[in-house]
Amino acid sequence: MVPVVISRCWVTVFFFFEPNYGGREGDRPGLARRPRTASRPNVLGGVEPDLPAPPTAPPTAPPTAPPTAPPTAPPTAPPTARAPPAEGTRSPARGRRILANMAAPRVVCGPVLLPLVLLAATSADVGFRFASYINNYMVLQKEPAGAVIWGYGTSEATVTVTLYRDQETIMEKVTSVKAHSNSWMVVLDPMKPGGPYEVMAQQTFGKTNFTLRVHDVLFGDVWLCSGQSNMQMTVSQIFNATRELANTAAYQSVRIFSVSLIQAEQELEDLAKVDLQWAKPTTENLGHGIFQYMSAVCWLFGRNLYDTLQYPIGLISSSWGGTPIEAWSSERSLKACGVPTQGFTQSNSVTGPSNHSVLWNAMIHPLHNMTLKGVIWYQGESNMNFNRDLYNCTFPALIEDWRQTFHHGSQGQTERFFPFGFVQLSSYLSAPSDDTFPQIRWHQTADFGYVPNLRMPNTFMAVAMDLCDRKSPFGSIHPRDKQTVAYRLHLGARAVAYGEKVIFQGPLPEKMELLADKGLLNLMYSQEIQVQRQDKIFEISCCSDHQCKWLPAPMDAFSAQTLTLSTGSCHGTLAAVRYAWATWPCEYKQCPIYHPSSTLPAPPFIAFMTN
């Protein structure tokens, strides 16, 4: 009976991955580099990255320049406040719907049987097909890397992959189908950005030939976007949604792809299901619904990159709301951080899948043969009360493990230390009054306060604590200004991934000087600062009789790169100073310290006094 079940499961999977399978929208058809690390001593306990000079002129229009005031709410927003009860609660329902569909006889087997799908793919004649994400309208990674084309076929058959343009053969690669996995793979020669091209794969086994084709293929940069619900929010949920949804005509070379919400207990080699096959952007597939299909942050990030680079961008969205980092991490990376496998208590901040590695197995690992340019990540809210103290290990470990896996899976074509950007958590009205949210923000930087750093090389961060949204119909934990988030992310990508001389992070203190006799503390910053006086956002740790207490440290004076705090309220020993260490540190774009020309906010920090 078991072989029959496996065979039935696989035939249905083959149907899903028919080479001409398209998305749901009307637009469908049938070398390792040395990582960037920090290089300058810094008061926050590490070294500070070299910061390039500011651009000659700031951007002048959206989507390049972020709005200076909260945009008006989108006319397309739902008339009633259909906010999810908690972070990501819509997503699990959607996941349940998909898994329920998978149990039907005509589709893939249910989640418990997903390992059988993998077993079938490695032990039976599965037919000739491309991998699930190789399809019409896709973007393949451009030079200097080579794009990977792979799929499944008849054991020991010969497969010839040909790249065409205007019926002219550009290159041809020949390989054979591996007997143990029934898979085949070729690496194309590095290609300059552009297109369109056609990719043809032909399998020859004895006197039998099968041919597959995909068309309108572009070469450019491919970015993977992952995380929880703030990454999952669609363009229909953000500020100025109607205008943003209409702004697609100029971006037909920015192609989008969305992974279905699937869990698996073992690492899958290919995607079990796809929500949106490779497609050109349309109003329908960008604004399909609430927390459905395409990520707004991902789309806006790619659109900003296209405005700068002027060549194709491929965007892959793979996110699930309410999920902790443990679900997105491999077992090996969790083991390296000592994450307990049993005995943990489920947190109310976790509303999506939380079992170890189930989303890594089903939604990330199946992509690991793909050649990528980089990754952007927006996650952390669900770890507020779930292994929070381990996040300063689990996040750097996830980055390192993803880098290793994609590098090896792509035959070394994805850079070993590919660029990895992330969003530092925004604000949350309903959070407890303790410092759980500030701790996650700090742990997102591996307790350095900034990136790139020695533990997180070649990374970049978008600070979002000043992008709060009290009136978000999706709850304050889901702020609607994703335009500014994407803008700040793209600045980091331009600096770290593309080597541009742009300022990509706000001012950081690089030196402290305590004038105890005057009751003053001087903070010297690495960049120029623009200051708006606030007296409670800085705090000092004052210790006496073996007890320490945080007290406000009002601003006394400031100059171009120096800020002086008053420490007169401390009558004991001053042990530390911290900035913006609160769940809701300031109102929308009203934090006290920004870089004057880039309008990037100073990130939160904590620093301890030394002799």
Side-chain angles (χ1 to χ4, degrees), residues 495-611:
V496 173
Y498 297 99
E500 282 193 53
K501 299 296 184 180
V502 295
I503 293 177
F504 65 101
Q505 56 188 353
L508 290 161
E510 58 183 358
K511 183 180 178 183
M512 293 191 302
E513 180 184 29
L514 177 62
L515 306 176
D517 56 332
K518 298 181 179 179
L520 298 174
L521 177 66
N522 288 331
L523 303 178
M524 281 70 85
Y525 280 81
S526 59
Q527 302 167 270
E528 289 188 19
I529 55 175
Q530 176 179 298
V531 180
Q532 179 176 321
R533 187 180 296 273
Q534 291 185 25
D535 289 338
K536 295 184 179 181
I537 200 163
F538 280 99
E539 297 173 294
I540 51 175
S541 178
C542 187
C543 303
S544 60
D545 298 327
H546 305 288
Q547 291 185 336
C548 298
K549 183 179 181 180
W550 288 103
L551 302 173
M555 297 181 187
D556 183 81
F558 57 85
S559 60
Q561 288 185 244
T562 303
L563 179 65
T564 302
L565 305 178
S566 173
T567 62
S569 59
C570 179
H571 301 292
T573 301
L574 198 156
V577 59
R578 67 188 187 185
Y579 169 72
W581 206 263
T583 302
W584 192 282
C586 59
E587 293 304 317
Y588 182 84
K589 294 191 175 180
Q590 294 298 314
C591 279
I593 303 175
Y594 288 83
H595 183 269
S597 63
S598 69
T599 67
L600 293 174
F605 73 84
I606 183 170
F608 297 90
M609 305 300 295
T610 63
N611 294 329

Side-chain angles (χ1 to χ4, degrees), residues 261-558:
L261 309 189
I262 300 289
Q263 306 177 56
E265 295 301 321
Q266 298 179 18
E267 291 180 344
L268 303 186
E269 292 304 312
D270 199 6
L271 295 172
K273 197 170 187 293
V274 172
D275 260 10
L276 176 66
Q277 261 296 352
W278 282 109
K280 298 178 182 180
T282 67
T283 299
E284 290 74 25
N285 58 31
L286 288 177
H288 185 75
I290 295 176
F291 299 104
Q292 293 184 41
Y293 275 17
M294 193 58 202
S295 159
V297 169
C298 188
W299 163 249
L300 294 167
F301 169 79
R303 200 177 70 179
N304 283 329
L305 283 183
Y306 180 79
D307 284 337
T308 299
L309 301 171
Q310 291 295 301
Y311 59 68
I313 301 292
L315 302 171
I316 299 168
S317 178
S318 184
S319 53
W320 193 329
T323 51
I325 196 170
E326 290 77 6
W328 298 100
S329 304
S330 72
E331 287 290 350
R332 56 189 168 271
S333 66
L334 294 175
K335 184 178 180 180
C337 292
V339 178
T341 57
Q342 296 179 346
F344 62 84
T345 302
Q346 185 80 338
S347 167
N348 58 8
S349 64
V350 178
T351 58
S354 61
N355 289 345
H356 288 184
S357 308
V358 291
L359 303 185
W360 159 259
N361 291 339
M363 297 178 65
I364 300 299
H365 187 268
L367 303 169
H368 77 289
N369 291 339
M370 179 184 294
T371 309
L372 293 179
K373 176 64 177 180
V375 170
I376 58 171
W377 171 261
Y378 196 159
Q379 190 277 336
E381 298 91 341
S382 286
N383 285 96
M384 179 173 60
N385 295 307
F386 188 81
N387 291 331
R388 178 180 65 254
D389 294 341
L390 294 175
Y391 203 90
N392 59 356
C393 178
T394 52
F395 185 38
L398 175 145
I399 296 172
E400 169 61 16
D401 187 63
W402 285 28
R403 284 171 165 170
Q404 283 192 32
T405 302
F406 276 87
H407 178 69
H408 292 305
S410 65
Q411 309 299 303
Q413 297 305 306
T414 297
E415 287 185 8
R416 174 61 181 82
F417 293 96
F418 63 73
F420 196 110
F422 64 95
V423 182
Q424 193 177 49
L425 295 190
S426 185
S427 302
Y428 183 26
L429 274 177
S430 302
S433 57
D434 58 24
D435 64 350
T436 54
F437 237 52
Q439 283 184 38
I440 287 289
R441 291 189 189 117
W442 186 246
H443 291 337
Q444 285 181 294
T445 67
D447 299 347
F448 278 75
Y450 57 87
V451 296
N453 58 52
L454 294 176
R455 289 187 60 200
M456 300 174 66
N458 221 36
T459 57
F460 54 95
M461 175 177 74
V463 176
M465 66 179 181
D466 64 331
L467 303 179
C468 47
D469 189 351
R470 290 181 179 272
K471 297 181 180 180
S472 173
F474 314 105
S476 63
I477 202 167
H478 298 121
R480 290 166 289 174
D481 183 1
K482 294 299 191 273
Q483 290 91 335
T484 304
V485 170
Y487 172 77
R488 292 174 180 176
L489 274 174
H490 111 281
L491 286 179
R494 287 169 61 183
V496 173
Y498 297 99
E500 282 193 53
K501 299 296 184 180
V502 295
I503 293 177
F504 65 101
Q505 56 188 353
L508 290 161
E510 58 183 358
K511 183 180 178 183
M512 293 191 302
E513 180 184 29
L514 177 62
L515 306 176
D517 56 332
K518 298 181 179 179
L520 298 174
L521 177 66
N522 288 331
L523 303 178
M524 281 70 85
Y525 280 81
S526 59
Q527 302 167 270
E528 289 188 19
I529 55 175
Q530 176 179 298
V531 180
Q532 179 176 321
R533 187 180 296 273
Q534 291 185 25
D535 289 338
K536 295 184 179 181
I537 200 163
F538 280 99
E539 297 173 294
I540 51 175
S541 178
C542 187
C543 303
S544 60
D545 298 327
H546 305 288
Q547 291 185 336
C548 298
K549 183 179 181 180
W550 288 103
L551 302 173
M555 297 181 187
D556 183 81
F558 57 85

Side-chain angles (χ1 to χ4, degrees), residues 34-45:
R34 182 179 297 275
R36 287 175 61 99
T37 57
S39 59
R40 200 165 12 164
N42 186 281
V43 73
L44 301 184

